[in-house]
Amino acid sequence: MNNRNIKEKSMKELEVVCSDIREEILRVVSQNGGHLSSTLGATELIVAMHKVFDSKKDPFIFDVSHQSYAHKLLTGRWKEFDTLRQFNGLCGYTKPSESEDDYFVAGHSSTSISLGVGAAKAIALKGEQEMRVPVIVIGDGSMTAGMVYEALNELGDRKYPMVIILNDNEMSIAKPIGAISRILSSAMAGPFYQKFKKHTENFVDNFGESAHYIAKRFEEGLKLITPGLMFEEMGIEYIGPIDGHNLKSLTDTLVLAKGMGKPVIVHCQTIKGKGYDIAEGQEEKWHGVSPFDRESGTSAKKSSAKSATQIYTEALMHLAKNNDKIVGATAAMPTGTGLSDLMTEYPNRFWDVAIAEQHAVTSMSALAKEGFKPFCTLYSTFLQRGYDQVIHDTCLMDLPVVFALDRAGIVGEDGETHQGVFDISFLRAIPNMTLFAPRDEKSFHQAMGFAAEYQHPCSLRYPRGSFIQTDLPEAQTFELGKSQLLYSHKGEILFIGYGNGVGRAYETSKFLDVGVSILDLRFVKPLDKEMLKDLSTKHSKWFVFSDSAKMGGVGSAILELLAEEKITGIELTSFEYADDFITHGNTKLVEESLGLLPQQLANRVKSLV
């Protein structure tokens, strides 16, 4: 199936297409895992888009793009869909290298309207306004981020032709309005209202300012009880809300919006998980899923090992019970970051601030200034969105905010946009920032205890899933800038592990027929200068293990120290990630492709010793 034959199909035939698409999405996601509820809910929206627009020439821009599975199926990828999110298979997000129908790489939220404005500017400069129209799909959750309003602000001023489909699957905008709004909005969505409005504008133009004022007040009176006032005041036409599962209403409205020659928001209400009863509604757990049984909805994959996120939740809960100054925030990921339990237990001290990492960082900084101890809990990949605030609002003031970075390292099937590999590199450069990492459950509790008492900005990182399971010596209490030597052997080899890299170092040592010393670095800023200087007199070949980017990472920090201390005779090899974006797929397969499995690393060590 492709978007070419979609245009010839009747509404009844398109309904069958939607049903077939939902069945295929359910089949594959239940096997592979992936984003489910949002992409099921957006099926009719995407089919209608392909009916009215042409993805070969009109930029189709999906915000986050986790809801774009139907788009993939309609653009020649039906046969490959079984490989969704698999290593060397289809990406779970839009990806231009995968298909010319994918306009942009997407994975983080709230970028779509800015991309649309940029595309519209290029289309205007090329004189292609009659042939191409940017089409945006953005969810109501993504509308909580400030970048959206920066883009709308310019768009409303410049009036570039654009169709923005607001996929409201939480009813967060329309809920207060009720039946009256739906009746009025249905009228506003029709061609009669739009033609009437245009004729009225032309008529009023001939009768001066007084008529303009009266007409404007009349229209505002209607808009005050609809959700469109804010957009209209920004200079953007608003149509809706309409039923996002009614194909005829959708296609008629998109045809109307396409012909208006100006920026238009089409507000569509959809149901998350539409077509799969178990997932329908507001349950966050169906947003992104691991493989599951379709009949029961139960997960097909259960790990016996406690996840690092679970350990974080337990540790923070213990601290919060004993210290009412401990507070925290996350950005639209309360379940994923483990903060949901704390929000339930302490609703006045722990907050979900929505998709607003910049706001999360700055607001927590103010709490720190007021004497509280904030734990700003984000995925590593999403802290990138609040980098300026970390520098300007936290570190410049030397405020004791703890940045707890979940999903550090390779995250698997989400791929390039979500791999948590850069946080060490970009945080290490900031004055007043301290960086450390636990290696297992006990050291995590100790690291959290240190963080709770530390009176400066700090960041600790931990992996998705569980720590690498190892039988290591018991962790010691965390002290600022102090490492822990786990094993000491004579010989030239020293393994230096950081965070989850400690377990990888230990597993690698098992494949060697010589004894190696293993150091749990614990702190990458500040480094344990005295320990490293001492070890430089005993071992000449150092190997660094850390789930992080090599450039600016742990190995770089150690090399800088060796240079500053004028320590020579050390050959340092870092097994951190090379200067490239890391693909999606099963974590073990991705690590194998990078040569990072313990057996592979041991072979590399042997070749270098």
Side-chain angles (χ1 to χ4, degrees):
M1 188 181 298
N2 60 63
N3 56 357
R4 296 284 161 239
N5 55 34
I6 283 291
K7 296 189 182 302
E8 284 79 52
K9 290 186 181 294
S10 67
M11 287 299 137
K12 275 196 170 180
E13 289 172 320
L14 289 179
E15 287 172 4
V16 174
V17 169
C18 290
S19 178
D20 290 344
I21 285 173
R22 279 202 173 90
E23 173 59 29
E24 183 67 358
I25 289 171
L26 267 171
R27 183 184 72 81
V28 172
V29 174
S30 67
Q31 293 173 0
N32 297 2
H35 291 94
L36 185 66
S37 58
S38 54
T39 200
L40 288 177
T43 299
E44 282 87 3
L45 298 183
I46 291 170
V47 169
M49 283 169 63
H50 281 281
K51 174 76 171 174
V52 176
F53 299 93
D54 185 350
S55 61
K56 298 289 184 205
K57 61 183 184 66
D58 297 317
F60 275 29
I61 303 173
F62 294 90
D63 204 273
V64 186
S65 79
H66 60 299
Q67 79 285 63
S68 65
Y69 294 177
H71 168 73
K72 289 177 181 280
L73 289 168
L74 289 170
T75 51
R77 287 169 272 186
W78 196 289
K79 290 182 180 178
E80 300 170 80
F81 200 64
D82 269 313
T83 71
L84 181 74
R85 290 165 54 89
Q86 303 298 291
F87 184 64
N88 288 331
L90 291 181
C91 179
Y93 302 94
T94 52
K95 192 172 183 178
S97 61
E98 184 180 288
S99 170
E100 63 178 335
D101 295 281
D102 291 1
Y103 184 75
F104 224 83
V105 170
H108 289 184
S109 84
S110 313
T111 63
S112 58
I113 301 177
S114 294
L115 288 171
V117 171
K121 288 177 178 177
I123 289 168
L125 287 169
K126 293 177 178 180
E128 297 174 348
Q129 295 98 317
E130 300 300 317
M131 299 175 286
R132 302 174 66 203
V133 180
V135 189
I136 314 297
V137 179
I138 182 169
D140 57 309
S142 292
M143 298 292 288
T144 61
M147 187 174 178
V148 165
Y149 300 95
E150 294 173 19
L152 288 173
N153 183 55
E154 183 179 15
L155 180 61
D157 180 55
R158 300 191 185 277
K159 310 290 188 193
Y160 294 113
M162 186 186 305
V163 176
I164 301 167
I165 300 170
L166 172 54
N167 179 17
D168 177 9
N169 54 29
E170 296 282 356
M171 298 190 180
S172 57
I173 295 177
K175 186 176 180 181
I177 315 304
I180 295 174
S181 170
R182 285 194 292 274
I183 294 167
L184 287 172
S185 294
S186 295
M188 291 174 184
F192 172 79
Y193 173 81
Q194 295 298 328
K195 285 180 182 177
F196 172 78
K197 183 178 177 183
K198 185 66 179 174
H199 287 318
T200 301
E201 287 171 354
N202 293 337
F203 176 78
V204 167
D205 280 342
N206 297 318
F207 288 89
E209 266 184 45
S210 297
H212 263 292
Y213 175 78
I214 293 168
K216 184 68 175 172
R217 294 288 293 184
F218 175 75
E219 186 178 348
E220 284 178 357
L222 287 178
K223 294 290 183 173
L224 278 172
I225 53 173
T226 75
L229 178 61
M230 177 181 70
F231 301 119
E232 294 269 352
E233 287 299 315
M234 295 182 81
I236 299 166
E237 292 288 334
Y238 171 88
I239 300 175
I242 63 172
D243 182 353
H245 301 297
N246 184 319
L247 276 169
K248 185 173 189 317
S249 177
L250 282 170
T251 52
D252 288 349
T253 304
L254 291 180
V255 168
L256 171 67
K258 181 181 180 180
M260 290 174 73
K262 61 177 75 170
V264 185
I265 286 181
V266 178
H267 180 181
C268 305
Q269 291 180 333
T270 61
I271 298 171
K272 279 186 172 183
K274 176 72 172 176
Y276 182 49
D277 291 345
I278 298 174
E280 282 192 8
Q282 312 302 324
E283 290 193 62
E284 186 187 344
K285 70 176 184 179
W286 287 104
H287 173 73
V289 296
S290 57
F292 64 94
D293 176 70
R294 282 183 61 178
E295 295 302 314
S296 65
T298 56
S299 175
K301 187 174 77 173
K302 292 184 179 178
S303 173
S304 57
K306 188 182 291 186
S307 73
T309 304
Q310 287 176 289
I311 299 168
Y312 174 74
T313 301
E314 292 169 3
L316 188 56
M317 186 73 79
H318 174 75
L319 293 168
K321 282 179 180 177
N322 294 290
N323 183 351
D324 62 8
K325 293 295 185 183
I326 287 178
V327 296
T330 188
M333 293 290 179
T335 301
T337 60
L339 222 61
S340 54
D341 289 349
L342 288 115
M343 289 165 56
T344 300
E345 187 73 17
Y346 303 106
N348 296 322
R349 289 165 53 192
F350 291 88
W351 304 275
D352 177 2
V353 302
I355 304 175
E357 291 82 3
Q358 294 167 295
H359 167 58
V361 174
T362 299
S363 63
M364 290 299 101
S365 298
L367 275 157
K369 187 175 189 304
E370 291 287 340
F372 289 87
K373 183 65 184 184
F375 281 73
C376 192
T377 311
L378 305 168
Y379 289 2
S380 167
T381 183
F382 295 143
L383 181 60
Q384 296 160 193
R385 298 164 62 97
Y387 188 50
D388 176 64
Q389 287 66 38
V390 175
I391 295 173
H392 186 276
D393 300 328
T394 307
C395 291
L396 188 63
M397 294 277 288
D398 197 19
L399 294 167
V401 179
V402 180
F403 295 97
L405 303 187
D406 202 326
R407 270 62 168 179
I410 292 175
V411 299
E413 288 78 6
D414 281 337
E416 294 100 325
T417 58
H418 281 58
Q419 310 286 21
V421 302
F422 303 116
D423 54 274
I424 294 174
S425 301
F426 68 69
L427 290 175
R428 198 167 67 82
I430 308 175
N432 293 330
M433 177 61 78
T434 294
L435 303 179
F436 54 103
R439 68 170 186 261
D440 55 21
E441 183 170 359
K442 179 156 188 182
S443 68
F444 204 159
H445 280 274
Q446 293 170 331
M448 290 288 285
F450 171 84
E453 298 297 325
Y454 192 58
Q455 293 304 305
H456 304 278
C458 65
S459 175
L460 70 160
R461 68 191 322 256
Y462 46 98
R464 181 179 189 175
S466 58
F467 288 100
I468 294 173
Q469 300 301 299
T470 56
D471 184 22
L472 293 169
E474 189 167 322
Q476 299 170 351
T477 302
F478 266 65
E479 295 180 44
L480 178 63
K482 294 298 181 184
S483 58
Q484 181 181 0
L485 188 61
L486 303 177
Y487 295 102
S488 180
H489 288 276
K490 289 183 179 179
E492 58 185 352
I493 303 175
L494 170 66
F495 282 1
I496 301 173
Y498 184 67
N500 207 33
V502 178
R504 195 182 308 280
Y506 178 73
E507 291 299 306
T508 301
S509 72
K510 292 179 179 179
F511 291 97
L512 299 175
D513 52 11
V514 296
V516 301
S517 293
I518 300 180
L519 178 70
D520 177 0
L521 191 63
R522 291 191 161 200
F523 288 82
V524 71
K525 184 182 181 183
L527 288 169
D528 189 343
K529 184 187 299 186
E530 295 308 314
M531 174 68 80
L532 292 170
K533 285 171 69 174
D534 180 59
L535 291 172
S536 72
T537 66
K538 300 173 182 176
H539 309 286
S540 59
K541 296 188 185 298
W542 293 9
F543 296 89
V544 174
F545 298 76
S546 176
D547 296 342
S548 51
K550 183 182 295 184
M551 190 172 290
V554 178
S556 291
I558 294 171
L559 285 171
E560 289 163 14
L561 175 66
L562 294 176
E564 288 167 5
E565 296 296 320
K566 297 182 170 52
I567 297 171
T568 59
I570 302 297
E571 295 178 24
L572 186 142
T573 301
S574 172
F575 293 138
E576 295 169 278
Y577 308 131
D579 186 26
D580 202 356
F581 290 103
I582 300 171
T583 190
H584 67 275
N586 174 272
T587 297
K588 187 172 182 181
L589 293 176
V590 173
E591 289 177 345
E592 183 179 19
S593 74
L594 298 173
L596 294 177
L597 297 183
Q599 176 72 72
Q600 295 172 306
L601 293 172
N603 291 336
R604 290 169 68 182
V605 171
K606 290 174 185 177
S607 71
L608 292 166
V609 172

